[in-house]
Amino acid sequence: MHLSEITHPNQLHGLSIRQLEQIARQIRDKHLQTVAATGGHLGPGLGVVELTLGLYQTLDLDRDKVIWDVGHQAYPHKLITGRYNHFHTLRQKDGVAGYLKRCENKFDHFGAGHASTSISAGLGMAIARDRKGENFKVAAIIGDGALTGGMALEAINHAGHLPNTNLLVVLNDNEMSISPNVGAIPRYLNKMRLSPPMQFIKDNFEEQVKQLPFVGGDSIPPELERIKEGMKRLAVPKVGAVFEELGFTYMGPVDGHNLEDLIATFKQAHQIPGPVLVHVATTKGKGYDIAEKDKVGYHAQSPFNLKTGKAIPSSKPKPPKYSKVFAHTLVKLAEQDPKIIGITAAMATGTCLDKLQAKLPDQYVDVGIAEQHAVTLAAGLATQGMRPVADIYSTFLQRGYDQIVHDVCIQNLPVFFCLDRAGIVGNDGPTHQGMYDIAYMRCIPNIVMMAPKDEAELQRMTVTGVNYTKGPIAMRFPRGNGYGVPLMEEGWEPLEIGKGEILRNGDDILMIGYGAMVNSTLQAAEILSEHGIEATVINARFCKPLDTELMFPLAKQIGKVVTLEEGCVMGGFGSAVAEALLDADILVPIKRLGVPDILVDHATPDESKAELGLTSPQIAQTILKSFFSNQPSAVV
């Protein structure tokens, strides 16, 4: 059977181990060829090919439910659930999503782009099943990196309290998140990997006991059952009984690339009542030697040469990425100030804080996939006079929202939040778009919010954030490359809090851009000028506090206002300006441009902006229609 013929995972039933191994090779080939062409996540999916095939051999996917944590490890799942012929569109506009989406396929039982959610979702499905009197299996596959997230541990705590609720948790243990895992839990799992196989000892003990003349039938006397349990605990490290003490039946570690062992283990696990955890040891990047050797670099890749593994170079050199400029600046500042502590939540390479780790390891902290802990850890550091810099993607900081409110802002602690990947992120889709940070942060008292117009202003804002000690301060910046403006190596001057700047003067309309939209605002102003309309353009720099001393007189004088932001319009920067004008009784027409109340799907940032009407020509055309209806509306 060829992989292209599989449109339903139940077609795997009855295939021999040899046939499944052939399917596994085809999955890896298709996975590698596709990601090499389109870019995307590589290592996670390559590592779970046999796990996927082995598990699905033991399930009826017309009834049973499978929940994949995060979703980027589920590319093999996608390839055997009817998406083979469209897989070449991976992460492209209107193509196959890079994560699981319930609306994309009936076998995507739960959507996810953030880690540590699978056990909670699976337990919810299992409880619903039991209350409805239904009968199907529920399996949640979670990576060992996601197990560092508190939500996963909360779910384990709950599931272990429900001994009559059947739930299978498959721990995909490859010793990695994106970077190597940190913390006590990964260290414990590593001990489990190296321990003697518990299940073998338990089963062998049972067989030996049944041969004793005073033991009748297949049951073991309670006294010997207790001895068996004691032997299990002796067979593993001193903390090896943790999962069983939490109420789970533990099985493993199992070789995650041995189909025969996987199938046998999963079949056995399905027969055990209550919550069961199967510990599967896998290799991230399995089957592609380059990815196996560089597990961090090949977690995800832009398009690359499959033979050499090297990224396909762009046609022309690009300016440095915002993340790299930020990290470089922070390292320079941290070298001068030992109180600066950079904090990441398992995203060292993505945020480029690995540069701080390499240069100043004592001023770097990776907390694992635990954003809530990261925020409150930063708060604790701040109480002792340290300068914590919490560098967390905008989409992931949502997970620590209560901590921002309760632990940082209410106590007015000087934590510097750096929101990487803010705005339209692109091909990863709705779960990763940084749309909401302006709206979800500006309503909290005490916090200062800022966003740079380019990479040089990012440097100055980094200095501003580190030096600000009156309370919390946040800086958002986009994914991708800067504009190539000149950068400084040192001597950066901090910005005055709450002060913007005028970039262009005109009498016909006031355009106020925030952060990544400032450049598009200037371009739109030049297009309007070609139509005889001259705009004043303000780089707001700060969303909170607003520079009302600059904005209010110009709004009164010009009488027409447009705000532009790369984030949700509802409650965003434009709303802040509109509210301020209204509160000051400045009743002028205002147009807020940004992301409307919709989810932005996977596409390139440029494609998304075009769909949202946020390209410079579209902005100019919208302004012409809204404020200058007597002008020609066609903008080229």
Side-chain angles (χ1 to χ4, degrees):
M1 177 179 288
H2 190 271
L3 180 60
S4 61
E5 301 174 56
I6 298 176
T7 58
H8 192 299
N10 284 359
Q11 290 176 258
L12 298 171
H13 294 177
L15 296 184
S16 67
I17 297 297
R18 183 179 177 183
Q19 288 173 313
L20 289 172
E21 288 172 345
Q22 292 174 345
I23 295 294
R25 285 192 291 271
Q26 294 174 43
I27 289 174
R28 285 197 170 93
D29 288 345
K30 184 67 172 179
H31 188 171
L32 284 164
Q33 292 164 7
T34 301
V35 175
T38 67
H41 291 95
L42 190 69
L46 291 176
V48 298
V49 176
E50 288 84 8
L51 188 161
T52 306
L53 295 175
L55 178 63
Y56 285 19
Q57 268 281 68
T58 67
L59 296 173
D60 177 2
L61 267 295
D62 281 327
R63 299 168 55 253
D64 301 331
K65 314 297 181 187
V66 178
I67 304 95
W68 289 89
D69 206 272
V70 183
H72 58 39
Q73 61 180 330
Y75 288 2
H77 160 85
K78 288 176 179 276
L79 283 168
I80 58 174
T81 51
R83 283 167 277 193
Y84 176 90
N85 291 327
H86 302 288
F87 199 65
H88 64 280
T89 67
L90 181 69
R91 301 174 76 247
Q92 298 176 48
K93 189 175 185 298
D94 301 324
V96 174
Y99 294 89
L100 297 190
K101 297 175 69 176
R102 281 168 54 83
C103 61
E104 182 177 283
N105 189 277
K106 68 178 182 178
F107 297 114
D108 291 2
H109 295 119
F110 197 79
H114 296 179
S116 312
T117 63
S118 60
I119 304 177
S120 297
L123 183 58
M125 293 178 188
I127 292 172
R129 171 201 64 204
D130 294 348
R131 294 198 176 172
K132 293 165 65 178
E134 297 177 341
N135 181 25
F136 56 82
K137 299 179 181 69
V138 177
I141 300 95
I142 186 167
D144 55 318
L147 205 62
T148 65
M151 186 175 177
L153 301 179
E154 292 171 15
I156 287 174
N157 177 64
H158 185 197
H161 184 62
L162 303 174
N164 297 319
T165 301
N166 293 344
L167 172 69
L168 173 63
V169 175
V170 180
L171 174 57
N172 169 31
D173 178 8
N174 61 23
E175 303 179 281
M176 300 288 292
S177 291
I178 293 176
S179 302
N181 283 322
V182 297
I185 292 173
R187 186 171 65 245
Y188 160 69
L189 291 176
N190 189 51
K191 288 183 180 180
M192 299 288 281
R193 270 177 170 256
L194 301 176
S195 71
M198 290 196 300
Q199 201 64 37
F200 170 79
I201 290 177
K202 186 188 79 168
D203 294 345
N204 188 57
F205 175 83
E206 288 183 359
E207 290 303 315
Q208 294 297 323
V209 167
K210 289 175 184 177
Q211 303 304 315
L212 295 175
F214 56 84
V215 176
D218 293 331
S219 63
I220 300 176
E223 295 81 4
L224 293 178
E225 183 72 32
R226 286 194 291 271
I227 295 175
K228 180 190 74 174
E229 292 302 315
M231 290 185 66
K232 286 173 62 180
R233 283 157 176 74
L234 289 173
V236 296
K238 59 184 178 181
V239 292
V242 167
F243 289 114
E244 297 229 344
E245 293 294 346
L246 289 172
F248 278 74
T249 298
Y250 173 89
M251 302 178 68
V254 184
D255 181 353
H257 304 294
N258 185 313
L259 277 163
E260 195 167 0
D261 286 354
L262 286 165
I263 292 169
T265 302
F266 288 136
K267 283 183 177 178
Q268 185 178 2
H270 294 321
Q271 302 304 312
I272 299 172
V276 179
L277 187 140
V278 175
H279 183 178
V280 180
T282 62
T283 300
K284 191 172 183 177
K286 180 71 174 179
Y288 185 51
D289 188 60
I290 298 171
E292 288 188 39
K293 292 178 179 177
D294 184 4
K295 293 180 174 63
V296 176
Y298 287 83
H299 170 81
Q301 270 286 1
S302 56
F304 65 97
N305 184 301
L306 196 52
K307 290 184 178 180
T308 65
K310 294 182 179 180
I312 298 173
S314 59
S315 56
K316 58 182 180 179
K318 293 182 179 180
K321 292 183 177 180
Y322 278 93
S323 299
K324 288 186 176 180
V325 173
F326 164 74
H328 177 76
T329 307
L330 185 67
V331 169
K332 290 284 187 180
L333 295 171
E335 286 176 326
Q336 301 167 19
D337 186 354
K339 292 187 292 185
I340 294 175
I341 306 291
I343 301 170
T344 181
M347 300 297 291
T349 54
T351 62
C352 291
L353 279 191
D354 54 346
K355 299 182 183 300
L356 180 65
Q357 179 188 24
K359 191 79 172 180
L360 301 166
D362 290 341
Q363 292 174 250
Y364 164 87
V365 178
D366 184 350
V367 301
I369 303 177
E371 292 83 5
Q372 292 173 297
H373 168 56
V375 173
T376 304
L377 174 75
L381 286 165
T383 66
Q384 302 305 304
M386 306 303 284
R387 301 299 303 122
V389 180
D391 188 1
I392 301 173
Y393 289 7
S394 168
T395 183
F396 296 144
L397 190 58
Q398 296 163 183
R399 296 159 69 92
Y401 188 65
D402 181 61
Q403 288 67 35
I404 298 171
V405 177
H406 183 273
D407 299 330
V408 177
C409 291
I410 287 178
Q411 301 187 90
N412 200 30
L413 293 171
V415 174
F416 182 18
F417 293 103
C418 299
L419 283 68
D420 198 342
R421 307 301 202 268
I424 298 170
V425 173
N427 300 90
D428 285 331
T431 60
H432 281 58
Q433 309 287 10
M435 293 297 163
Y436 310 112
D437 57 89
I438 302 173
Y440 73 63
M441 296 187 84
R442 79 173 186 89
C443 60
I444 311 172
N446 291 328
I447 197 165
V448 170
M449 298 168 58
M450 54 187 178
K453 71 178 186 295
D454 55 39
E455 62 268 41
E457 195 162 76
L458 172 75
Q459 291 185 304
R460 293 189 67 188
M461 286 190 178
T462 302
V463 177
T464 305
V466 166
N467 289 340
Y468 186 74
T469 59
K470 295 181 180 179
I473 186 168
M475 173 180 67
R476 77 182 324 244
F477 55 93
R479 181 182 189 178
N481 303 88
Y483 294 101
V485 300
L487 298 172
M488 296 173 61
E489 279 297 303
E490 54 187 13
W492 306 285
E493 289 292 326
L495 296 167
E496 185 178 354
I497 299 296
K499 293 299 178 183
E501 62 174 345
I502 296 176
L503 301 178
R504 191 184 190 283
N505 288 294
D507 297 327
D508 298 316
I509 192 162
L510 174 61
M511 301 175 68
I512 308 174
Y514 184 56
M517 285 300 290
V518 171
N519 188 59
S520 298
T521 304
L522 281 169
Q523 292 174 353
E526 293 303 318
I527 295 172
L528 289 173
S529 181
E530 296 171 4
H531 291 260
I533 297 166
E534 298 300 332
T536 290
V537 174
I538 291 177
N539 168 25
R541 285 179 169 162
F542 292 86
C543 175
K544 186 179 183 182
L546 289 171
D547 190 351
T548 54
E549 290 184 3
L550 178 64
M551 296 177 187
F552 283 0
L554 289 168
K556 287 180 180 178
Q557 174 189 331
I558 297 172
K560 301 181 184 70
V561 179
V562 176
T563 63
L564 301 102
E565 62 193 299
E566 196 174 300
C568 65
V569 170
M570 294 181 68
F573 171 73
S575 295
V577 174
E579 290 163 11
L581 291 171
L582 182 62
D583 290 345
D585 294 322
I586 302 174
L587 306 180
V588 296
I590 182 169
K591 184 76 174 177
R592 297 171 300 146
L593 297 181
V595 179
D597 188 25
I598 61 171
L599 295 172
V600 179
D601 219 330
H602 55 281
T604 67
D606 286 344
E607 288 171 335
S608 292
K609 288 177 183 176
E611 196 165 275
L612 295 166
L614 294 179
T615 67
S616 298
Q618 289 171 320
I619 292 167
Q621 184 167 347
T622 297
I623 292 172
L624 283 171
K625 288 182 177 179
S626 299
F627 294 103
F628 305 97
S629 57
N630 59 330
Q631 297 287 331
S633 60
V635 176
V636 179

